[in-house]
């Protein structure tokens, strides 16, 4: 298995632009998680899905952030409009229901908003 | 304070020495997990210990769990330079679906 795939790996954009991050979970996994990691705040859970349905989005910082999971093999995290404080590494992770809670992380997308 | 706090924040040792990292948490858990993150990479699962277990081993890793003190420790024996990374504990609260990660311990193993 290729593991969790994220794209792009790096994104540099200007304030006000729309940013879309993509994730392909491990095949067969029914949970998908989006995290944000910064030096100041550590690793934060933004939102997670179960069977493509958003379960908990309480970590989404504000309305500028949205996430979708149109099918079991694809999810997007969108920031519109982006701001410099959104600069961070965004991770996607997936797990299966029977996996004792172990999560498998993608390589992350390093976002820089100028 | 957040669930899953690691101690120390940073640890620097010589190759061959043992490294011990501690984690404290606040709520009841199903299990506690340790993850490793190399610089610029995603987190990688190392080991999981269930709430009814007290100790677990995996290669050079030894994890203990004390639910009465709501704490866990990760011991890496005979450390190597390649063990240099950040180590995070994560708690699986009774709801079971999500993990809450601590702030991590940055381990540096000097050759």
């Amino acid at each position: 298995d290729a593991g969790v795939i994220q794209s792009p790996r790096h994104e540099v954009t200007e304030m006000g632009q729309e940013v879309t991050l993509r994730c392909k979970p491990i095949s067969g996994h029914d949970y998908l998680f989006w995290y944000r990691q910064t030096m100041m705040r550590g690793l934060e859970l933004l939102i997670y899905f179960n069977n493509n349905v958003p379960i908990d989005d309480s970590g989404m910082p504000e309305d500028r952030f949205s996430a979708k999971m149109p099918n079991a093999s694809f999810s997007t995290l969108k920031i519109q409009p982006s701001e410099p404080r959104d600069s961070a590494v965004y991770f996607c992770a997936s797990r299966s229901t029977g996996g004792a809670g172990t999560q498998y992380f993608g390589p992350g997308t390093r976002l820089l908003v100028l | 304070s957040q669930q899953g706090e690691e101690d120390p924040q940073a640890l620097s040792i010589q190759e061959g020495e043992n490294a011990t990292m501690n984690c404290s948490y606040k709520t009841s858990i199903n299990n506690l997990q340790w993850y490793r993150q190399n610089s610029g990479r995603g987190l990688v699962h190392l080991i999981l210990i269930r709430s009814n277990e007290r100790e677990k081993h995996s290669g050079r890793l030894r994890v203990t769990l004390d639910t009465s003190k709501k704490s866990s420790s990760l011991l890496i024996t005979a450390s190597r330079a390649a063990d240099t990374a950040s180590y995070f504990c994560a708690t699986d609260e009774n709801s079971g679906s999500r993990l809450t990660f601590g702030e991590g311990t940055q381990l540096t193993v000097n050759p």
Side-chain angles (χ1 to χ4, degrees):
Chain A
D1 198 320
V4 176
I5 298 172
Q6 291 187 247
S7 65
R9 293 293 311 276
H10 302 272
E11 178 83 23
V12 180
T13 190
E14 292 188 346
M15 184 173 62
Q17 296 297 305
E18 177 179 295
V19 175
T20 300
L21 311 181
R22 298 173 176 80
C23 175
K24 176 179 169 54
I26 292 173
S27 178
H29 282 190
D30 50 356
Y31 283 88
L32 184 140
F33 303 82
W34 282 101
Y35 292 91
R36 177 173 68 176
Q37 186 178 39
T38 62
M39 290 292 292
M40 291 296 294
R41 301 175 68 91
L43 192 65
E44 304 173 277
L45 176 65
L46 300 177
I47 184 171
Y48 78 92
F49 296 82
N50 178 221
N51 291 322
N52 313 337
V53 176
I55 303 301
D56 184 353
D57 65 354
S58 60
M60 296 285 263
E62 47 199 272
D63 292 345
R64 296 184 299 106
F65 286 69
S66 62
K68 294 182 180 179
M69 193 164 185
N71 57 63
S73 59
F74 184 65
S75 177
T76 60
L77 178 67
K78 187 173 293 187
I79 308 173
Q80 167 62 19
S82 58
E83 298 182 0
R85 59 191 168 126
D86 302 330
S87 297
V89 182
Y90 291 81
F91 290 102
C92 174
S94 70
R95 59 160 281 209
S96 63
T97 297
T102 299
Q103 294 184 13
Y104 297 82
F105 281 74
T109 295
R110 187 172 297 273
L111 173 65
L112 178 62
V113 183
L114 302 174
Chain B
S1 300
Q2 61 176 332
Q3 180 91 332
E5 297 185 6
E6 286 90 345
D7 164 51
Q9 289 188 334
L11 180 62
S12 182
I13 59 175
Q14 296 299 122
E15 212 165 24
E17 294 180 340
N18 295 341
T20 299
M21 289 159 272
N22 303 297
C23 169
S24 61
Y25 58 92
K26 291 181 167 52
T27 65
S28 297
I29 60 172
N30 286 323
N31 63 61
L32 185 144
Q33 305 179 37
W34 286 90
Y35 287 76
R36 163 191 170 132
Q37 183 180 31
N38 287 79
S39 180
R41 303 288 186 93
L43 280 72
V44 175
H45 178 259
L46 292 177
I47 193 167
L48 177 152
I49 186 165
R50 298 184 189 279
S51 59
N52 61 353
E53 298 176 310
R54 291 297 167 260
E55 187 171 315
K56 201 162 184 180
H57 297 254
S58 177
R60 294 185 294 113
L61 304 181
R62 173 177 169 256
V63 170
T64 63
L65 179 64
D66 187 335
T67 53
S68 66
K69 295 181 179 178
K70 290 186 169 56
S71 67
S72 173
S73 67
L74 171 67
L75 168 68
I76 304 174
T77 60
S79 64
R80 306 166 181 168
D83 294 328
T84 295
S86 291
Y87 292 82
F88 296 84
C89 68
T91 48
D92 180 354
E93 299 169 12
N94 282 333
S95 66
S97 297
R98 54 181 292 168
L99 293 177
T100 302
F101 287 83
E103 297 174 354
T105 293
Q106 172 60 50
L107 173 66
T108 302
V109 182
N110 301 299

